[in-house]
Amino acid sequence: MAGVGKTALMQHVCGMEAVKSSFELTHWIWVSQEFDVVSVTRKIVEAVTRSRPECGELSTLHELIVEHLAGKRCLIVLDDVWDDNPSHWNSLTAPLSRCAPGSAVAVTMRSNKVTRMVSTKVYHLKCLSDEDCWRVCQRRALPNSDANVDQELVEIGEKIAKKCQGLPLAAEAAGSALGASTSWKHWDEVLNNDLWADNEVKNLVLEVLKVSYDHLSMPLKRSFAFCSLFPKGFVFDKDLLSHYGIYSFSYL
């Protein structure tokens, strides 16, 4: 899911000495949802050559990739892939097959369709525990503190961390909001005035979550819109919700 730390974990892995020593070259390409084979291939060329390619022909771009990567043991990271068209994937990765044995392509994604297309070796990231969320919050909110943090702040911070529901992105954003002040009053206000009312937190988290929404099918988008009419904390009855939801959709 969004904000669970896929990109951050991959960055950490790429920075590990054991990984860096296993590959001659490591290149990171941010793909995102606007997938176009030529444009993404251009990004790969730019990463491996450290210059912007002047050409736009796919065959020429492939030749440049092969020229710089052939026979070398490479780690290529494709971050945030959404496109699940197998022909696009095959075209994109064709020149990478010329890398030396032991090379690897690592992909971060949120789509199960992409997972099935690109790999048989998949790692599903789980959400953090409340305790780990608090550690992330604390690191951001109190970067220069030692272990002897005021116990009242700790108790409030732990309650705020539970609101993050295991998402490190939310925990980072919450920690940033708390870091504005180390007063008990400020932290208590963040706890009681709804964490997501803070603009910095809201903008950071919602921007990431909106990408997931954009990739929902139209019926699911309508279901999402219908459910958003109910107040926060409302307990749904799935049968009634389904009945009235279908009835309402006929008027959309």
Side-chain angles (χ1 to χ4, degrees):
M1 61 187 299
V4 79
K6 299 177 292 297
T7 296
L9 176 61
M10 196 66 242
Q11 289 172 336
H12 176 73
V13 169
C14 289
M16 296 172 64
E17 192 57 42
V19 174
K20 291 192 291 185
S21 62
S22 298
F23 300 97
E24 295 177 62
L25 298 172
T26 299
H27 294 293
W28 187 287
I29 297 90
W30 182 59
V31 179
S32 190
Q33 54 186 322
E34 298 298 330
F35 189 97
D36 173 79
V37 173
V38 174
S39 63
V40 177
T41 304
R42 284 175 65 90
K43 287 184 179 181
I44 296 177
V45 171
E46 187 173 344
V48 301
T49 64
R50 298 183 182 276
S51 62
R52 297 198 172 201
E54 297 180 358
C55 63
E57 293 292 330
L58 190 60
S59 58
T60 305
L61 295 172
H62 280 186
E63 290 173 2
L64 288 171
I65 294 174
V66 171
E67 178 183 338
H68 286 79
L69 300 185
K72 298 178 181 178
R73 193 170 185 178
C74 305
L75 171 60
I76 307 296
V77 180
L78 301 177
D79 186 28
D80 201 18
V81 176
W82 285 92
D83 189 282
D84 57 8
N85 187 317
S87 64
H88 291 173
W89 175 253
N90 292 336
S91 177
L92 181 68
T93 57
L96 302 180
S97 63
R98 300 288 297 277
C99 295
S103 297
V105 177
V107 183
T108 69
M109 79 282 281
R110 283 185 246 167
S111 167
N112 285 327
K113 290 183 178 179
V114 177
T115 298
R116 290 190 291 268
M117 178 185 70
V118 306
S119 177
T120 56
K121 196 169 188 177
V122 181
Y123 300 90
H124 294 280
L125 298 193
K126 297 180 180 179
C127 292
L128 300 179
S129 65
D130 290 341
E131 292 77 13
D132 285 335
C133 269
W134 163 233
R135 292 190 184 96
V136 174
C137 282
Q138 183 179 6
R139 184 180 60 187
R140 177 70 67 175
L142 305 166
N144 300 316
S145 68
D146 54 24
N148 298 318
V149 182
D150 187 291
Q151 188 58 34
E152 285 188 333
L153 290 184
V154 171
E155 292 175 359
I156 296 173
E158 289 175 343
K159 293 177 182 178
I160 292 173
K162 289 182 179 180
K163 290 189 173 185
C164 297
Q165 298 183 9
L167 295 180
L169 176 67
E172 287 274 356
S176 296
L178 294 174
S181 172
T182 56
S183 70
W184 179 89
K185 180 180 179 182
H186 171 69
W187 283 41
D188 190 59
E189 286 177 350
V190 174
L191 172 63
N192 294 307
N193 291 343
D194 191 353
L195 176 64
W196 312 116
D198 181 272
N199 284 334
E200 182 179 354
V201 178
K202 180 171 63 178
N203 292 339
L204 177 60
V205 176
L206 293 185
E207 180 180 348
V208 176
L209 295 179
K210 186 177 183 300
V211 179
S212 295
Y213 172 80
D214 289 340
H215 284 79
L216 293 176
S217 64
M218 186 54 67
L220 286 179
K221 284 184 177 179
R222 289 178 173 176
S223 296
F224 189 93
F226 179 78
C227 291
S228 71
L229 299 175
F230 294 85
K232 181 179 178 180
F234 183 83
V235 178
F236 292 101
D237 181 292
K238 65 178 182 179
D239 295 324
L240 285 175
L241 179 66
S242 175
H243 172 75
Y244 287 115
I246 294 172
Y247 180 79
S248 299
F249 293 158
S250 64
Y251 293 94
L252 292 177

